[in-house]
């Protein structure tokens, strides 16, 4: 019994060699050190063994009849990517051994070898294997720990990859591009990156690039000198000044005009900029995090986005999947929002009944997590008892998707055709916007009209979007504390 334990402790090794005498030498040597050893006289046999038994390391002869050592190495790595494979080669063919290293071999030994040499290589291989395993467990622990990572809730594989990426990329200075549909949590991720970086005690500045006219955007970003343009009575610092040693979050980067893109590129490459109308070169150290919900590649092809800027931005790319592609996360998110809004509304211990959850699981969530959050907030506010049932969910979510024209009853005195049509159009747009989670582009798709047409109608009928964002940029210091609004424009 003792024997068996020792073997396990020391690891198990596969020896693949066509020469019997070599197999015997290695077997005696390795068993003598307490390793569990299995012998194979050919590549085929070795691969077959590895298919059935997990090994920690393999020693493979390069020159063998049948499947040669190189091919055996490749097959073994296919079975277990992390298996440490040590190649044995005749002195004359070290080149071969190097080739093998390139194909993923752990190390090589040349014949004739000294016993100690073999033992050292094996020991290293097993040590590496142990580290790899430990790392993997560590990673899994991190991921399990974070089904809520800085308030980013999710445990679907795609979200875990996002968490991993945040942990890996946050400490560096590299630019990060976050892509995802509206409401998928791009801003949350940007904040998490800042919080996990060494810049966390410095400013996190948000710029909503899409909202500002071009020159206002430039003076907002870079500041201006006195007299730079009419109305520039005082010199003003830009957000890049304020974000020095911190991070700047450029939201909707796809909307930035080409001229401003050139200036951004300069800040990224040279870490310097000039104020609008100014000559002085100002040095800054800012980490740039950008987000977009449009396909920048396409924007680039259409000539509306600089290629060089794209590649500069795209150093680390975080893609946030739409909620409909990770519905496993819905129950967790629901729980999270019930707790959040339960607390806010002093309604602890609320719970969602299974029927209601079923409805939420089936729905497609065009407005993604933001839409889900709104739905839960509404349900919490409207709830009177402890249970949230389907009745507290908005109609369009659970309703089977059939479109019904209303039945018209014309009053005896008659009715204005124009008014009815107008009212009808207005309501149709409102319902569609709701179904689209407030996303105009999606609503336009649902109605088979152009987004610009929809936008015109929304303006004409003065339809108010359910969600409004007023600030264009915010500066926060340290741990997300709100310091002050820099610019404030209405949509
Ligand atoms: N994984 C998540 N866990 C918890 N809350 C989330 C998650 N994703 C998004 N949210 C919430 O949904 C709302 C929208 O998130 P956020 O503003 O980060 O989205 P966005 O991708 O920037 O959207 P947009 O493109 O419209 O600006 C926020 O209230 C945010 O807290
Ligand atoms: Mg956003």
């Amino acid at each position: 019994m003792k024997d068996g334990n020792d073997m396990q402790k020391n690891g198990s090794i596969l020896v693949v060699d066509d020469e019997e005498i070599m197999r015997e030498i290695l077997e005696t040597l390795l068993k003598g050190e307490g390793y569990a050893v299995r012998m194979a006289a050919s590549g085929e046999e070795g691969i077959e063994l590895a298919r059935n038994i997990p090994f920690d390391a393999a020693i493979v002869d390069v020159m063998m009849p049948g499947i040669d050592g190189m091919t055996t190495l490749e097959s073994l790595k296919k079975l277990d990517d992390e298996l440490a494979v040590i190649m044995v080669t005749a002195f004359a063919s070290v080149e071969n051994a190097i080739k093998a290293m390139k194909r993923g071999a752990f190390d090589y030994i040349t014949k004739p070898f000294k016993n100690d040499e073999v033992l050292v290589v094996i020991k290293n291989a097993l040590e590496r294997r142990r580290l790899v395993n430990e790392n993997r467990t560590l990673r899994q622990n991190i991921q399990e720990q974070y089904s809520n990572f800085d308030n980013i809730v999710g445990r679907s594989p795609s979200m875990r990859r996002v968490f991993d990426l945040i942990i890996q990329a946050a400490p560096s200075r590299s630019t990060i591009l976050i892509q995802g549909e509206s409401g998928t949590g791009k801003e949350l991720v940007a904040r998490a990156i800042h919080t996990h970086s060494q810049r966390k005690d410095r400013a996190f500045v948000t710029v909503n690039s899409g909202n500002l006219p071009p020159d206002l955007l430039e003076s907002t970003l870079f500041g201006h000198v006195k007299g730079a343009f009419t109305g520039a009575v005082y010199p003003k610092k830009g957000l890049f000044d304020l974000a020095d040693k911190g991070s700047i979050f450029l939201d909707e980067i796809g909307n930035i005009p080409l001229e401003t893109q050139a200036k951004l590129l300069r800040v990224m490459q040279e870490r310097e900029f000039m104020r609008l109308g100014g000559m002085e070169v100002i040095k800054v150290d800012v980490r740039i995090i950008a987000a977009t919900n449009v396909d920048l590649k396409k924007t680039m092809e259409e000539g509306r986005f600089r290629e060089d800027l794209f590649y500069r931005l795209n150093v680390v790319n975080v893609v946030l999947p739409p909620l409909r592609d990770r519905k496993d996360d819905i129950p967790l998110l629901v729980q999270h929002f019930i707790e959040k809004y339960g607390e806010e509304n002093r309604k602890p211990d609320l719970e969602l009944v299974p029927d209601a959850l079923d409805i939420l699981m089936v729905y497609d969530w065009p407005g993604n997590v933001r839409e889900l959050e709104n739905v839960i907030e509404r349900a919490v506010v409207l709830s009177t008892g402890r249970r949230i049932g389907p009745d507290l969910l908005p109609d369009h979510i659970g309703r089977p998707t059939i479109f019904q024209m209303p039945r018209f009853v014309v009053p005896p005195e008659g009715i204005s055709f124009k008014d009815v049509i107008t009212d009808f159009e207005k309501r149709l747009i409102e319902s569609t916007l709701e179904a689209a989670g407030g996303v105009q582009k999606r609503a336009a798709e649902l109605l088979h009209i152009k987004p610009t047409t929809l936008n015109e109608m929304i303006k004409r009928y003065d339809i108010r979007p359910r969600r409004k964002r007023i600030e264009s940029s915010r500066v926060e210091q340290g741990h997300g504390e709100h310091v002050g609004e820099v610019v404030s424009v209405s949509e």
Side-chain angles (χ1 to χ4, degrees):
M1 268 290 62
K2 180 184 171 285
D3 220 351
N5 275 341
D6 273 358
M7 278 185 185
Q8 255 193 332
K9 194 171 74 201
N10 282 334
S12 58
I13 298 162
L14 168 69
V15 173
V16 188
D17 203 315
D18 57 313
E19 277 177 76
E20 199 182 341
I21 179 84
M22 288 303 295
R23 289 201 301 274
E24 273 170 13
I25 292 172
L26 285 169
E27 185 174 19
T28 316
L29 175 67
L30 296 171
K31 277 198 173 152
E33 290 294 311
Y35 295 116
V37 190
R38 295 298 294 261
M39 299 291 150
S42 68
E44 289 92 331
E45 209 181 299
I47 295 160
E48 192 50 38
L49 270 175
R51 218 189 293 280
N52 297 307
I53 306 168
F55 289 101
D56 296 311
I59 300 180
V60 178
D61 190 19
V62 172
M63 291 277 281
M64 290 187 293
I67 297 185
D68 66 5
M70 217 64 93
T71 318
T72 308
L73 163 69
E74 273 167 11
S75 305
L76 289 176
K77 294 298 273 187
K78 257 184 221 147
L79 289 174
D80 175 1
D81 187 33
E82 274 145 14
L83 179 70
V85 182
I86 297 145
M87 305 303 287
V88 183
T89 157
F91 186 64
S93 62
V94 172
E95 253 170 48
N96 245 344
I98 291 171
K99 216 188 284 166
M101 299 286 286
K102 284 192 184 146
R103 291 188 199 176
F106 174 75
D107 208 339
Y108 66 91
I109 31 189
T110 46
K111 283 191 267 194
F113 49 74
K114 293 200 182 83
N115 286 357
D116 282 354
E117 193 188 343
V118 177
L119 293 178
V120 167
V121 173
I122 285 286
K123 218 174 130 221
N124 289 343
L126 296 178
E127 175 65 13
R128 212 261 317 238
R129 175 80 172 191
R130 194 176 57 76
L131 282 179
V132 167
N133 283 343
E134 260 173 24
N135 265 340
R136 191 188 294 139
T137 330
L138 207 68
R139 236 182 10 240
Q140 268 164 3
N141 284 344
I142 287 176
Q143 289 176 336
E144 261 149 38
Q145 202 176 328
Y146 293 121
S147 63
N148 181 334
F149 179 96
D150 274 9
N151 279 328
I152 314 174
V153 174
R155 62 166 174 226
S156 55
S158 51
M159 284 311 283
R160 287 199 170 148
R161 274 196 294 278
V162 169
F163 299 160
D164 266 351
L165 211 56
I166 295 175
I167 295 173
Q168 280 167 20
S172 76
R173 195 184 170 281
S174 8
T175 304
I176 297 193
L177 179 63
I178 307 167
Q179 286 174 288
E181 288 179 12
S182 185
T184 46
K186 296 186 291 295
E187 185 159 347
L188 274 187
V189 169
R191 277 170 194 282
I193 290 165
H194 176 74
T195 314
H196 285 264
S197 74
Q198 278 157 7
R199 298 165 182 262
K200 65 173 187 292
D201 295 323
R202 299 306 191 109
F204 176 81
V205 178
T206 307
V207 190
N208 196 349
S209 333
N211 266 354
L212 299 168
D215 14 331
L216 191 49
L217 175 63
E218 283 202 9
S219 82
T220 303
L221 288 174
F222 306 113
H224 59 74
V225 299
K226 189 177 158 188
F229 47 87
T230 353
V233 188
Y234 301 106
K236 201 183 119 220
K237 283 194 171 184
L239 293 178
F240 269 98
D241 283 289
L242 293 171
D244 194 22
K245 309 262 176 347
S247 315
I248 202 161
F249 175 47
L250 300 172
D251 206 356
E252 297 313 334
I253 186 105
N255 291 337
I256 290 190
L258 282 166
E259 317 94 83
T260 317
Q261 290 175 25
K263 297 197 176 166
L264 270 181
L265 192 66
R266 174 162 181 203
V267 192
M268 282 180 187
Q269 283 173 339
E270 325 280 339
R271 304 188 186 183
E272 60 183 38
F273 65 92
M274 283 192 282
R275 302 231 161 87
L276 223 64
M279 299 295 286
E280 187 198 351
V281 173
I282 299 155
K283 290 266 172 208
V284 276
D285 168 21
V286 176
R287 204 279 175 78
I288 295 181
I289 306 169
T292 176
N293 57 19
V294 298
D295 184 1
L296 279 188
K297 279 223 173 85
K298 217 173 115 208
T299 323
M300 200 164 73
E301 277 157 18
E302 289 163 1
R304 287 185 291 119
F305 205 82
R306 290 179 68 116
E307 215 172 330
D308 42 9
L309 181 60
F310 176 78
Y311 291 111
R312 274 272 152 186
L313 283 172
N314 206 23
V315 179
V316 177
N317 191 354
V318 179
V319 178
L320 288 175
L323 188 55
R324 62 181 168 279
D325 290 348
R326 50 179 170 109
K327 288 195 169 173
D328 312 356
D329 284 341
I330 291 178
L332 263 182
L333 283 163
V334 168
Q335 193 50 39
H336 173 74
F337 293 133
I338 286 185
E339 278 165 24
K340 178 174 168 189
Y341 291 104
E343 207 167 292
E344 256 183 54
N345 292 280
R346 300 224 177 77
K347 294 182 180 175
D349 305 326
L350 278 175
E351 60 177 44
L352 190 80
V353 306
D355 279 359
L357 182 62
D358 286 347
I359 293 172
L360 300 181
M361 292 297 284
V362 172
Y363 184 62
D364 231 22
W365 301 107
N368 294 296
V369 185
R370 177 182 290 113
E371 187 184 7
L372 177 62
E373 180 168 1
N374 289 343
V375 165
I376 299 297
E377 180 182 5
R378 175 179 180 271
V380 169
V381 170
L382 296 180
S383 68
T384 46
R386 269 194 56 213
R387 295 154 69 80
I388 296 178
D391 54 314
L392 291 178
L393 302 178
D395 284 345
H396 70 273
I397 282 188
R399 202 182 279 152
T401 46
I402 350 164
F403 180 74
Q404 273 187 323
M405 287 291 271
R407 243 173 53 80
F408 297 103
V409 184
V410 182
E413 70 278 13
I415 192 166
S416 152
F417 176 79
K418 209 167 154 252
D419 288 352
V420 173
I421 296 297
T422 304
D423 193 40
F424 190 78
E425 277 192 356
K426 196 173 162 190
R427 283 196 212 180
L428 179 61
I429 292 170
E430 278 168 350
S431 306
T432 316
L433 276 171
E434 209 171 296
V439 182
Q440 285 193 21
K441 191 166 159 267
R442 165 95 179 168
E445 273 166 24
L446 289 174
L447 292 174
H448 305 189
I449 56 177
K450 282 196 289 192
T452 44
T453 313
L454 179 68
N455 192 264
E456 269 161 32
M457 292 206 272
I458 288 173
K459 283 196 186 128
R460 189 175 344 128
Y461 297 140
D462 194 25
I463 295 171
R464 304 249 160 225
R466 299 238 321 264
R467 165 179 77 95
K468 266 206 101 180
R469 173 186 244 135
I470 39 164
E471 332 92 280
S472 266
S473 52
R474 277 160 286 157
V475 182
E476 289 154 36
Q477 206 72 42
H479 305 281
E481 187 195 332
H482 196 209
V483 164
E485 230 130 78
V486 177
V487 190
S488 188
V489 278
S490 301
E491 264 176 344

